[in-house]
Amino acid sequence: MKNIFTLLVIGMMTFTSFSQSNTALSKHFESYYEQMKEQGDMRGVINALTHLNVLSPSEARKDTLAYFYSKAGQYRQALSILGTEKNTSDSDIAIEVKAISLKALNQPQLAVQQFDIMFSRKPDVFLAYELADLNLQIGKIVEAQTYIKYGLENTKEDDMLPFYEANPPYQVPLKAALTYQQGLLKYNQDKTKIDEALKFIDQAITMAPEFKLAKQIKELLQNQKQAAAQETTTPQNQED
């Protein structure tokens, strides 16, 4: 009986010691986390949150850790925490991180699912542009057309959209970007109607003369049109 009592006392002491140690570690890493945020040290923030999530796991802490991974451009690590599944019960942060990470990793089929959830929670003209772009990439023409229409009907004159494919990056009016998407939509609906597609792209360039992406696509379409014209006018070789 005495031995059992002794074991219970030792067990309680061990448990109390562990709890105190766990609490002390949590306080340490909470302070470390705040300090790293203040210093703008992303690596330190991620390390602190990783320790805190091990010591005291929670959905909110997991989502925050994934968010900082995505901010650091570590999209695979962010998705390793959150997964890629479509889950309408996910937090706003989790949905946004999934959407951004999947898009960055060139997974439009999966990214569009997350952007759809974001749009259903809070419709937005910039989300409409993203959804139109993703749906065009995966060949969902009807869905792309719906989002372009929403964007054009709700965008404001001072809404600007940044583009990062050029150095330095630039921005154009969102209305011009959506008009450019109308050109892409027209081309995807019928690839023989290059002139109709170019009409919309020209309108976009008129609204935003610095629209480099639209100019590049215009040049590609003009070259394609010229090549098609040459094929139809070149006489066939005569048989001997």
Side-chain angles (χ1 to χ4, degrees):
M1 189 70 170
K2 183 178 179 181
N3 289 338
I4 294 174
F5 178 76
T6 302
L7 288 172
L8 286 172
V9 170
I10 292 172
M12 291 176 64
M13 290 175 63
T14 302
F15 178 77
T16 302
S17 175
F18 175 79
S19 298
Q20 290 175 343
S21 175
N22 199 56
T23 301
L25 277 172
S26 293
K27 287 182 178 179
H28 165 75
F29 283 111
E30 284 169 2
S31 298
Y32 180 68
Y33 169 63
E34 294 299 331
Q35 184 63 38
M36 291 299 98
K37 279 204 302 182
E38 186 176 328
Q39 293 175 197
D41 187 333
M42 194 68 72
R43 184 69 255 172
V45 167
I46 290 171
N47 284 337
L49 280 171
T50 300
H51 282 91
L52 285 169
N53 197 46
V54 171
L55 292 167
S56 181
S58 71
E59 287 299 312
R61 190 160 278 162
K62 183 179 71 172
D63 292 350
T64 305
L65 176 57
Y67 168 78
F68 279 109
Y69 266 127
S70 69
K71 290 286 284 185
Q74 296 178 272
Y75 302 113
R76 295 189 187 280
Q77 289 85 342
L79 292 173
S80 72
I81 295 170
L82 298 178
T84 61
E85 299 79 9
K86 181 179 180 179
N87 187 348
T88 55
S89 65
D90 279 344
S91 70
D92 289 345
I93 289 178
I95 295 296
E96 183 177 350
V97 169
K98 285 183 181 183
I100 292 171
S101 298
L102 288 165
K103 180 186 175 185
L105 293 172
N106 196 28
Q107 297 290 331
Q109 291 274 8
L110 296 174
V112 75
Q113 297 178 354
Q114 307 300 327
F115 278 106
D116 270 330
I117 298 174
M118 291 172 66
F119 189 85
S120 68
R121 292 181 181 181
K122 190 177 180 180
D124 174 84
V125 290
F126 294 98
L127 286 176
Y129 176 88
E130 293 287 357
L131 280 159
D133 181 53
L134 290 167
N135 278 296
L136 284 171
Q137 288 182 43
I138 60 179
K140 291 190 174 182
I141 305 303
V142 174
E143 290 84 349
Q145 188 172 25
T146 299
Y147 287 115
I148 292 171
K149 183 175 183 292
Y150 175 91
L152 287 169
E153 289 176 351
N154 292 278
T155 189
K156 298 176 182 177
E157 292 299 324
D158 58 350
D159 286 334
M160 302 294 289
L161 184 70
F163 284 84
Y164 300 99
E165 86 283 350
N167 189 17
Y170 62 96
Q171 59 179 1
V172 303
L174 180 57
K175 186 175 182 180
L178 290 162
T179 303
Y180 155 76
Q181 283 187 327
Q182 281 185 298
L184 297 182
L185 177 70
K186 183 61 67 176
Y187 177 74
N188 279 274
Q189 286 174 323
D190 185 345
K191 290 182 170 55
T192 66
K193 295 184 177 180
I194 295 179
D195 285 335
E196 293 185 33
L198 285 170
K199 179 182 176 181
F200 285 112
I201 293 173
D202 280 335
Q203 288 177 13
I205 294 171
T206 298
M207 286 186 272
E210 72 283 10
F211 201 165
K212 296 177 183 178
L213 180 60
K215 290 179 179 179
Q216 291 170 3
I217 297 300
K218 177 181 178 179
E219 183 177 354
L220 288 172
L221 290 177
Q222 286 177 325
N223 290 341
Q224 185 174 330
K225 178 183 175 182
Q226 184 177 0
Q230 288 176 347
E231 286 181 6
T232 58
T233 58
T234 300
Q236 294 182 348
N237 293 329
Q238 298 292 324
E239 292 183 1
D240 293 334

